Amino acid sequence: MFGVKTLRAVRICRASVLWRPSQTVTRTQSVAAGPRVDIGGIYPPIATPFTQNEDVDYQKLDENLRKYAKIPFRGLVVQGSNGEYPYLTDDERVEVVRRVRLALPTCQLVLAGSGCESTRATVVMTERMARAGADMVLVVTPCFYKGKMDSRALVHHFTQVADSSPVPVVLYSVPANTGLDLPVDAVLRLAQHPNILGLKDSGGDITRIGLIVHKTKAQDFQVLAGSAGFLMAAYSVGCVGGVCALANVLGNELCDLERLCVSGRWDDARALQQRLIEPNAAVTRKFGVPALKQAMEWFGYHGGACRSPLQPLSDVESQQLRLDFSTNGWI
Amino acid sequence: MFGVKTLRAVRICRASVLWRPSQTVTRTQSVAAGPRVDIGGIYPPIATPFTQNEDVDYQKLDENLRKYAKIPFRGLVVQGSNGEYPYLTDDERVEVVRRVRLALPTCQLVLAGSGCESTRATVVMTERMARAGADMVLVVTPCFYKGKMDSRALVHHFTQVADSSPVPVVLYSVPANTGLDLPVDAVLRLAQHPNILGLKDSGGDITRIGLIVHKTKAQDFQVLAGSAGFLMAAYSVGCVGGVCALANVLGNELCDLERLCVSGRWDDARALQQRLIEPNAAVTRKFGVPALKQAMEWFGYHGGACRSPLQPLSDVESQQLRLDFSTNGWI
Amino acid sequence: MFGVKTLRAVRICRASVLWRPSQTVTRTQSVAAGPRVDIGGIYPPIATPFTQNEDVDYQKLDENLRKYAKIPFRGLVVQGSNGEYPYLTDDERVEVVRRVRLALPTCQLVLAGSGCESTRATVVMTERMARAGADMVLVVTPCFYKGKMDSRALVHHFTQVADSSPVPVVLYSVPANTGLDLPVDAVLRLAQHPNILGLKDSGGDITRIGLIVHKTKAQDFQVLAGSAGFLMAAYSVGCVGGVCALANVLGNELCDLERLCVSGRWDDARALQQRLIEPNAAVTRKFGVPALKQAMEWFGYHGGACRSPLQPLSDVESQQLRLDFSTNGWI
Amino acid sequence: MFGVKTLRAVRICRASVLWRPSQTVTRTQSVAAGPRVDIGGIYPPIATPFTQNEDVDYQKLDENLRKYAKIPFRGLVVQGSNGEYPYLTDDERVEVVRRVRLALPTCQLVLAGSGCESTRATVVMTERMARAGADMVLVVTPCFYKGKMDSRALVHHFTQVADSSPVPVVLYSVPANTGLDLPVDAVLRLAQHPNILGLKDSGGDITRIGLIVHKTKAQDFQVLAGSAGFLMAAYSVGCVGGVCALANVLGNELCDLERLCVSGRWDDARALQQRLIEPNAAVTRKFGVPALKQAMEWFGYHGGACRSPLQPLSDVESQQLRLDFSTNGWI
């Protein structure tokens, strides 16, 4: 329908070479000893399938991973918000990362969510995930004491973590879950840290995102959109990729959108982007993780159950979810 | 510096013919007797200069208008939020519109803010502004009883106004001032009204804007970005123009940005867009109308005083404002 | 059932002498030439009945007033939020105040809402309402430019109004409508003005209210609760009365509650207070002015229509409203 | 100064017999086999002292507990928000509870915060804390997926926990930290569970609290105010006690306030309450846990360090904190 399918070549394992946006090519790699990893591209923040007893279903996870390995993703985010990581034990968190690393080709990055509320726990978890094979860690803003999580506290937190981390760090701001936006001035400070590579911004404030790209140009700082809903707009203002819940379901299509944006085919990109907004909203802010898992089942993946207190969709919600895919031509 | 100045031809009065985005060309004009007015382009929401006694300074207004007439704006918004319209009497509101219409070439549209809290007052004000020469009216969401301003109430309000208005209506959603976002489902309903042309969306939620563009394709509905901060992103998702406070100060530059977006020169557009974010934030959400008026003075326009309770900037604020322009190379 | 009905003597026109809370008796009247008016007691913020054509129905207003004159209210608030004042023309606003003053016994205070967005309009409206017979004016926080309505701007606004007002001023903070809480430090500054008598606080933050009472003890500053939902708690922390939408419907009952609080009969007060919370919520934040007007019809008053864009209740809402009264034994 | 000190008898270990509000005496104990525990009274939500290395300082904790044991508290809350529980490991959480139980007289209740994000983790932690000696558990609303934490999910969560808990459960709603208010309808459903004793409500919406007391009268459901700022108002509407951060510092004074409220000495209560609002705000929403710990040092307790990312107060903040105590006569 969009004529983009033919563009999708066998990209796996050549991603970082072939399809980078032009602006990243000329970056000066000044901050660290060697060049920074190019993290540009699409990442599904993978769901964690559970059995009916709410145990982690590692077998179903493996089956999902085998499928994801064939999609030209830049990598996978393990234990972003959609991974129900706050519902996993520490050991489960590490084990899931280990499994993912084993299942993926080495050219696909494993970006592991190692954030905890305390700095010391985050340092420990970061170290464990690096040992389990994470290529990078994604560190969410601590948020319980949100009234005290000002720039001073957050800069201190992320600096401590980055100082001790064996692998590069990506900052993670997700106000819908945390009630807290990582302040721009804190981002600008942290962008200067040699072990902090970039930011995943799930807030969707495109003005803010554009400003961050602008003010961090000298630091080789890479910004990823945190949702498929504003992926094209994010590319337009200088983001290098996206971590998109919807990529668990429509992974190839999001990689198509990436390529259209990167290659400057904006009219085609717009047409594709627009068809993705409603399905994306449905599996994120409208119905959440239970909807993402339900949609995964429809599209040939294993969603499985959620852990309580997350509840399965009601029948009405499920019908509405289906409608959000079907009216946009995906089912 | 950006090589775009040479693009800026004598566009005045040919705007609607020459530089429309391609997607508007093929629109079917099905909803009304004749083709709809193409409202694509840049609009400054003009400030209302006051004397030190807080009277409207019509002379200084006229001098500003003479300058704006030479910039390739698609038109002017009179009595958007930056016009301090809630501080004007009804007669002042109409008189300002009359003056603007007289001062502009006919090819520049006058988009007059006629919104009031009650439907009946809005109907009356709309009629008066049309008689005073407004080409279109911009109708803000009523907001005092925000808990009751659901889709039902808002659809009723805008429908009543559009039914009786002698000129086309543009919807106006500005949550930073009203505490209320015009719901998407209300927009979709209202887009079907033959006398409702489009929407000015100042909320900046680019996902929402993209969705509205997508879902109103069949209705020849035109969406304008309500701020310079996300203008380029708005073009990328299908907006046809922008109403930008910053255009009171950097009008030609915003018209440059328009042209870069419309002609698909996204890399140049991005570079220009990024330099506009901080100055725009400074004259809008950071320091507000007093900052806009201060900056106008710096750039050769008359800002004049604000009406109370708006207060002039403090010295510290003024210095910060200047910095937001100078660090981006505008002063 | 509560044994309080027998307490309700013929209080009209002796209110200010008989039933004041003990703490007001010993106040020093230091700020102005004479003693300040004691504003303690209950006020209905009266609704404005409209005809089916949405004209002000002065006859029905008069009939309501005749009934209110027999209830031991301390006075009436005219053009608080429940009076749909943002939907009235300036002339209508003044005329309604004039009618109310004519219809009430002189011992009942007329507290007229004269707030407008601009300071100059508020000054003019205040003057007009004083001439029309208002005993005091109630001045709401301007709110359209909420980002700029800091303490500096608000102190300036209220000071200008109070300086020029022929009658005493009561501050009015109603964040549910304005999106703005008058800051505590601004209240403390303004409490020192000799022509500012007190504050109507509709936010319901009882900690804040207690703090304001505490910090203004030296200024003979009187705080009124802005809702029946927290009236008893407000008395407990030192408020002297309440402006309660529900008093349009259950006026005698709220005067009963006042007396129980003032006389220290807290157990009886609690039992009565609790039965008022749900009906009060129903006619305020849950269903708003249309519900208040519907309930007025049930209780023998004229509610009449609302002006658009306010819509009448749906059948389902109306049933729910009825339930909120009946489950608490009021219907 | 207030004449209340003489009221403070040796209450320890007779609390539940002597000073209960009258309305609790006549409650029918219908829901469970035996009578429910009367939880009325004051609880400090104790801070967790850390060493400079951010290890739990059990010795200093013990010294604090020895002092708290001499104050007529109804009990201690261990691992409420002020205990930095999100920064503790699971083992630390249990160990702290064990220490507290050992250090207190048996008449003082240990109310242990056992809430985790997932239902299964909360069930396990509840069981562990009960074995460690907790008399009751305090279970906070899970909040990470706030968009999905509707009444259905929360009722399911708390029911699962209460069904399996060896000790009674108290619900805990603290929107300032969680961004989530436990909905009233969920509270009313859960109040019917035989193993759910009550609610700690830290939101401070006194109307809501009054409504909950009103609608749960038949269930012997006990509501505790979650802050000293609205303690008196909470008593006035029917709460039976309070969990107050400030009680870590001014424990006897809060027990005084309790007694004044319970014995109906409202004028004295008001005078004392008002002096507590600013110090309480200072150690909670204004400056948070670091301020609480600083103030504890001033008043003879061990606050110790916070765990990162919480930062110590700046000098300016520390001076302001001191002022909030001194201007109210506490230092």
Side-chain angles (χ1 to χ4, degrees):
Chain A
M1 179 172 181
F2 289 98
V4 296
K5 298 281 168 62
T6 55
L7 286 179
R8 194 188 306 146
V10 181
R11 175 197 165 183
I12 312 300
C13 295
R14 292 179 298 165
S16 62
V17 182
L18 294 181
W19 289 295
R20 291 310 89 218
S22 58
Q23 78 264 30
T24 68
V25 174
T26 57
R27 274 186 193 151
T28 54
Q29 266 90 20
S30 60
V31 288
R36 289 189 165 197
V37 180
D38 177 349
I39 62 173
I42 301 297
Y43 301 73
I46 62 167
T48 308
F50 295 107
T51 66
Q52 287 308 312
N53 290 330
E54 299 195 7
D55 294 318
V56 179
D57 193 331
Y58 290 106
Q59 185 179 334
K60 292 202 166 166
L61 174 64
D62 284 340
E63 291 174 28
N64 287 341
L65 294 171
R66 275 198 288 276
K67 290 172 184 161
Y68 291 146
K70 295 175 189 155
I71 298 176
F73 292 136
R74 183 68 184 95
L76 267 62
V77 164
V78 188
Q79 291 164 41
S81 306
N82 294 286
E84 294 174 71
Y85 78 86
Y87 294 171
L88 301 183
T89 66
D90 290 354
D91 289 345
E92 287 171 336
R93 289 179 71 173
V94 174
E95 177 62 13
V96 169
V97 168
R98 199 182 65 82
R99 296 280 187 133
V100 172
R101 183 63 283 171
L102 284 177
L104 289 188
T106 54
C107 62
Q108 285 189 331
L109 298 172
V110 173
L111 186 42
S114 67
C116 304
E117 277 292 318
S118 78
T119 306
R120 61 159 53 191
T122 307
V123 165
V124 170
M125 182 59 77
T126 295
E127 161 72 24
R128 291 185 67 186
M129 284 184 169
R131 277 205 310 267
D135 298 293
M136 286 173 289
V137 289
L138 182 70
V139 182
V140 72
T141 52
C143 64
F144 191 76
Y145 299 100
K146 34 183 77 58
K148 294 300 288 174
M149 290 300 104
D150 54 14
S151 287
R152 181 169 65 121
L154 291 166
V155 167
H156 183 269
H157 176 76
F158 286 110
T159 301
Q160 295 284 105
V161 173
D163 282 351
S164 71
S165 173
V167 293
V169 169
V170 175
L171 310 172
Y172 182 18
S173 183
V174 58
N177 291 116
T178 62
L180 191 73
D181 225 353
L182 184 58
V184 171
D185 69 305
V187 175
L188 303 190
R189 282 280 305 282
L190 293 165
Q192 299 170 24
H193 193 288
N195 205 25
I196 296 179
L197 268 189
L199 166 70
K200 171 187 173 188
D201 194 309
S202 297
D205 178 346
I206 201 72
T207 306
R208 165 189 157 93
I209 291 173
L211 182 61
I212 289 171
V213 170
H214 177 45
K215 304 289 275 189
T216 58
K217 262 192 197 119
Q219 278 84 41
D220 191 22
F221 190 74
Q222 303 172 69
V223 182
L224 300 171
S227 172
F230 55 92
L231 182 62
M232 177 198 179
Y235 272 109
S236 85
V237 301
C239 284
V240 301
V243 181
C244 307
L246 191 63
N248 281 290
V249 178
L250 297 173
N252 278 312
E253 290 74 9
L254 279 158
C255 292
D256 289 342
L257 180 52
E258 174 205 7
R259 236 156 325 142
L260 293 171
C261 292
V262 169
S263 59
R265 296 177 52 185
W266 294 102
D267 289 343
D268 290 341
R270 184 180 307 118
L272 178 54
Q273 168 69 81
Q274 290 183 344
R275 293 172 62 216
L276 297 169
I277 297 175
E278 283 180 305
N280 179 66
V283 300
T284 55
R285 69 165 183 266
K286 193 168 166 188
F287 298 124
V289 180
L292 177 63
K293 289 185 155 184
Q294 173 67 78
M296 286 172 70
E297 299 284 344
W298 294 338
F299 283 82
Y301 300 95
H302 298 295
C306 288
R307 266 194 182 158
S308 293
L310 282 177
Q311 300 294 298
L313 296 188
S314 69
D315 287 349
V316 170
E317 290 171 326
S318 185
Q319 287 162 23
Q320 179 57 53
L321 171 67
R322 198 160 185 98
L323 211 57
D324 285 326
F325 278 88
S326 63
T327 59
N328 288 282
W330 300 116
I331 293 184
Chain B
M1 180 173 182
F2 289 99
V4 296
K5 296 281 166 62
T6 56
L7 286 179
R8 193 190 305 146
V10 182
R11 176 198 165 180
I12 314 298
C13 297
R14 293 179 298 166
S16 62
V17 181
L18 293 180
W19 288 298
R20 293 308 91 217
S22 58
Q23 77 266 29
T24 69
V25 174
T26 55
R27 274 186 192 149
T28 54
Q29 268 88 17
S30 58
V31 287
R36 290 190 163 195
V37 180
D38 178 349
I39 61 174
I42 301 297
Y43 301 74
I46 61 167
T48 308
F50 295 107
T51 67
Q52 287 308 313
N53 290 329
E54 299 195 6
D55 294 317
V56 179
D57 193 331
Y58 289 107
Q59 187 179 332
K60 293 203 165 166
L61 174 64
D62 284 339
E63 291 174 28
N64 286 343
L65 294 172
R66 274 198 288 276
K67 290 171 184 161
Y68 292 147
K70 295 176 189 152
I71 298 176
F73 292 136
R74 183 67 185 94
L76 268 61
V77 163
V78 189
Q79 290 162 44
S81 306
N82 294 286
E84 294 174 70
Y85 78 86
Y87 294 172
L88 301 183
T89 66
D90 290 354
D91 289 345
E92 287 172 336
R93 290 179 71 172
V94 174
E95 178 62 13
V96 169
V97 168
R98 199 183 64 80
R99 295 278 188 135
V100 173
R101 182 63 285 171
L102 284 176
L104 290 187
T106 53
C107 62
Q108 284 189 332
L109 297 173
V110 173
L111 186 42
S114 66
C116 303
E117 276 292 320
S118 77
T119 307
R120 61 158 55 191
T122 307
V123 165
V124 169
M125 183 58 78
T126 295
E127 161 72 24
R128 289 186 68 186
M129 284 185 167
R131 277 205 309 266
D135 297 295
M136 287 174 288
V137 288
L138 183 69
V139 182
V140 71
T141 51
C143 64
F144 191 77
Y145 299 100
K146 35 183 75 56
K148 294 300 289 176
M149 291 299 102
D150 53 14
S151 288
R152 182 170 64 121
L154 291 166
V155 167
H156 183 269
H157 176 76
F158 285 110
T159 300
Q160 296 284 104
V161 173
D163 281 350
S164 71
S165 172
V167 294
V169 169
V170 175
L171 309 172
Y172 182 18
S173 182
V174 57
N177 291 117
T178 62
L180 191 72
D181 225 353
L182 184 58
V184 171
D185 68 306
V187 175
L188 303 190
R189 282 281 305 279
L190 291 165
Q192 299 171 23
H193 192 289
N195 206 25
I196 296 179
L197 269 188
L199 165 72
K200 170 186 173 187
D201 194 308
S202 296
D205 178 346
I206 202 71
T207 306
R208 164 191 157 92
I209 292 173
L211 181 60
I212 289 171
V213 169
H214 177 45
K215 303 289 275 190
T216 58
K217 262 195 197 116
Q219 278 85 41
D220 192 22
F221 190 75
Q222 302 173 70
V223 182
L224 300 171
S227 173
F230 55 91
L231 183 61
M232 178 197 178
Y235 272 110
S236 85
V237 300
C239 284
V240 300
V243 181
C244 308
L246 191 62
N248 280 290
V249 178
L250 297 174
N252 278 313
E253 290 74 7
L254 279 159
C255 292
D256 290 343
L257 179 52
E258 174 205 6
R259 232 149 333 137
L260 292 171
C261 292
V262 168
S263 59
R265 296 177 52 186
W266 294 101
D267 288 343
D268 290 340
R270 185 182 304 117
L272 178 53
Q273 168 69 81
Q274 290 183 344
R275 293 172 63 216
L276 296 170
I277 295 175
E278 282 179 305
N280 178 67
V283 300
T284 55
R285 69 165 182 266
K286 193 168 166 190
F287 298 125
V289 180
L292 177 63
K293 289 185 155 184
Q294 173 66 79
M296 286 172 69
E297 299 284 345
W298 293 339
F299 284 83
Y301 300 95
H302 298 295
C306 288
R307 265 194 182 158
S308 292
L310 283 177
Q311 299 295 298
L313 296 187
S314 69
D315 287 349
V316 171
E317 291 171 326
S318 186
Q319 287 162 23
Q320 179 57 51
L321 172 67
R322 196 159 186 98
L323 211 58
D324 285 326
F325 279 88
S326 64
T327 57
N328 288 282
W330 300 115
I331 293 186
Chain C
M1 179 174 182
F2 289 99
V4 295
K5 297 281 167 61
T6 56
L7 285 179
R8 194 189 306 146
V10 182
R11 175 198 164 183
I12 313 300
C13 296
R14 292 179 298 166
S16 62
V17 182
L18 294 181
W19 289 296
R20 294 308 88 220
S22 59
Q23 78 265 29
T24 70
V25 173
T26 56
R27 275 185 193 152
T28 55
Q29 268 89 19
S30 59
V31 288
R36 290 189 164 196
V37 180
D38 178 349
I39 62 173
I42 301 297
Y43 302 74
I46 61 167
T48 308
F50 295 107
T51 65
Q52 286 309 312
N53 290 330
E54 298 195 7
D55 295 317
V56 179
D57 194 331
Y58 290 106
Q59 185 178 333
K60 293 203 166 165
L61 173 64
D62 283 340
E63 291 175 28
N64 287 342
L65 294 172
R66 274 199 288 277
K67 289 172 183 161
Y68 291 146
K70 295 177 188 152
I71 298 176
F73 292 135
R74 184 66 185 96
L76 267 62
V77 164
V78 188
Q79 291 164 42
S81 306
N82 294 285
E84 293 173 71
Y85 78 85
Y87 294 172
L88 300 183
T89 66
D90 290 354
D91 290 345
E92 287 172 337
R93 289 179 71 173
V94 175
E95 177 62 13
V96 169
V97 168
R98 199 182 65 79
R99 295 279 188 135
V100 172
R101 184 62 285 171
L102 284 176
L104 291 187
T106 55
C107 63
Q108 285 189 333
L109 298 172
V110 173
L111 186 42
S114 67
C116 304
E117 277 292 318
S118 78
T119 307
R120 61 158 56 191
T122 307
V123 166
V124 170
M125 182 58 78
T126 295
E127 162 72 24
R128 290 186 68 186
M129 284 184 169
R131 278 206 308 268
D135 298 293
M136 288 174 288
V137 288
L138 183 70
V139 182
V140 71
T141 51
C143 64
F144 191 77
Y145 299 100
K146 33 183 76 56
K148 294 299 289 176
M149 290 300 104
D150 54 13
S151 288
R152 180 169 66 120
L154 291 166
V155 167
H156 183 269
H157 175 76
F158 286 110
T159 301
Q160 296 284 105
V161 173
D163 282 350
S164 71
S165 173
V167 294
V169 169
V170 175
L171 310 171
Y172 182 19
S173 182
V174 57
N177 291 116
T178 63
L180 191 72
D181 225 353
L182 184 57
V184 171
D185 69 306
V187 174
L188 303 190
R189 283 280 304 280
L190 292 165
Q192 299 171 24
H193 193 290
N195 206 24
I196 295 178
L197 269 188
L199 166 71
K200 171 187 172 187
D201 194 308
S202 296
D205 178 345
I206 202 72
T207 306
R208 165 190 157 93
I209 292 173
L211 182 60
I212 290 171
V213 169
H214 177 45
K215 304 289 276 189
T216 58
K217 265 197 194 112
Q219 279 85 41
D220 192 21
F221 189 74
Q222 302 172 69
V223 182
L224 300 171
S227 173
F230 55 92
L231 183 61
M232 179 197 178
Y235 271 109
S236 85
V237 299
C239 284
V240 301
V243 180
C244 307
L246 192 62
N248 281 290
V249 177
L250 296 174
N252 278 312
E253 289 73 7
L254 279 158
C255 292
D256 289 343
L257 179 53
E258 174 205 7
R259 235 154 326 138
L260 292 171
C261 292
V262 169
S263 59
R265 297 177 52 185
W266 294 100
D267 288 343
D268 290 341
R270 184 181 306 117
L272 178 54
Q273 168 69 80
Q274 290 183 344
R275 293 173 61 215
L276 296 169
I277 295 175
E278 283 179 305
N280 178 67
V283 300
T284 56
R285 70 164 182 267
K286 192 169 166 190
F287 299 124
V289 180
L292 177 63
K293 289 186 154 184
Q294 173 67 77
M296 286 173 70
E297 300 284 346
W298 293 338
F299 283 82
Y301 300 96
H302 297 294
C306 289
R307 265 194 183 159
S308 293
L310 282 177
Q311 300 294 299
L313 296 187
S314 69
D315 287 349
V316 170
E317 290 171 327
S318 185
Q319 288 162 22
Q320 179 57 52
L321 172 67
R322 197 161 186 96
L323 210 58
D324 285 326
F325 278 88
S326 63
T327 59
N328 288 283
W330 299 116
I331 293 183
Chain D
M1 179 171 182
F2 289 100
V4 297
K5 297 282 168 58
T6 56
L7 285 179
R8 193 189 305 147
V10 182
R11 175 196 164 183
I12 312 300
C13 296
R14 292 179 298 165
S16 62
V17 181
L18 292 181
W19 289 296
R20 292 309 91 217
S22 58
Q23 78 267 29
T24 69
V25 173
T26 56
R27 275 185 191 151
T28 54
Q29 268 88 18
S30 58
V31 288
R36 289 188 166 198
V37 180
D38 178 350
I39 62 172
I42 301 297
Y43 302 73
I46 62 168
T48 309
F50 296 107
T51 66
Q52 287 309 311
N53 290 329
E54 300 195 6
D55 294 318
V56 179
D57 193 331
Y58 290 106
Q59 185 179 335
K60 293 204 165 165
L61 174 64
D62 283 340
E63 291 175 29
N64 287 341
L65 294 171
R66 275 198 287 276
K67 290 173 183 160
Y68 292 146
K70 295 175 188 154
I71 298 177
F73 292 135
R74 182 69 185 94
L76 267 63
V77 163
V78 188
Q79 292 163 43
S81 306
N82 294 286
E84 294 174 69
Y85 77 87
Y87 295 171
L88 301 182
T89 66
D90 290 354
D91 289 345
E92 287 172 336
R93 289 179 72 172
V94 174
E95 177 62 12
V96 169
V97 168
R98 199 182 65 80
R99 296 279 187 134
V100 173
R101 183 62 285 171
L102 285 176
L104 290 188
T106 54
C107 62
Q108 285 189 331
L109 298 172
V110 173
L111 186 43
S114 66
C116 304
E117 277 292 319
S118 77
T119 306
R120 61 159 54 192
T122 307
V123 165
V124 169
M125 181 59 77
T126 295
E127 161 72 23
R128 290 185 68 187
M129 285 184 168
R131 277 204 309 266
D135 298 293
M136 286 174 288
V137 288
L138 183 69
V139 182
V140 71
T141 50
C143 64
F144 190 77
Y145 299 100
K146 33 182 77 56
K148 294 300 291 175
M149 291 299 104
D150 54 13
S151 288
R152 182 170 65 122
L154 292 165
V155 167
H156 182 269
H157 176 74
F158 285 110
T159 301
Q160 295 285 105
V161 173
D163 281 351
S164 72
S165 173
V167 293
V169 169
V170 175
L171 310 172
Y172 182 18
S173 181
V174 58
N177 291 116
T178 63
L180 190 73
D181 224 352
L182 185 57
V184 171
D185 68 305
V187 175
L188 304 190
R189 282 282 304 280
L190 293 165
Q192 300 171 23
H193 192 289
N195 205 25
I196 296 179
L197 269 188
L199 166 72
K200 171 186 173 188
D201 193 308
S202 295
D205 178 347
I206 202 70
T207 306
R208 165 189 155 94
I209 292 173
L211 181 61
I212 289 171
V213 170
H214 178 45
K215 304 289 277 190
T216 57
K217 265 196 194 113
Q219 279 85 40
D220 191 23
F221 189 75
Q222 302 172 71
V223 182
L224 300 171
S227 172
F230 54 93
L231 183 61
M232 179 197 178
Y235 272 109
S236 86
V237 300
C239 284
V240 301
V243 180
C244 306
L246 191 62
N248 281 290
V249 178
L250 297 174
N252 278 313
E253 290 74 6
L254 279 159
C255 292
D256 289 342
L257 179 53
E258 174 205 8
R259 235 154 326 139
L260 292 171
C261 292
V262 169
S263 60
R265 295 177 53 185
W266 294 101
D267 289 343
D268 290 340
R270 185 181 306 117
L272 178 54
Q273 168 69 81
Q274 290 183 344
R275 294 172 63 216
L276 298 169
I277 296 175
E278 284 179 304
N280 178 66
V283 300
T284 55
R285 69 164 181 266
K286 194 169 166 189
F287 299 124
V289 179
L292 176 63
K293 289 185 155 184
Q294 173 66 80
M296 286 173 69
E297 300 284 345
W298 293 339
F299 284 83
Y301 301 95
H302 298 295
C306 289
R307 266 195 182 157
S308 292
L310 282 177
Q311 299 295 298
L313 296 187
S314 70
D315 287 349
V316 171
E317 290 172 327
S318 186
Q319 287 162 22
Q320 180 57 52
L321 171 67
R322 197 160 185 97
L323 210 58
D324 286 326
F325 279 88
S326 63
T327 59
N328 288 282
W330 300 116
I331 293 184

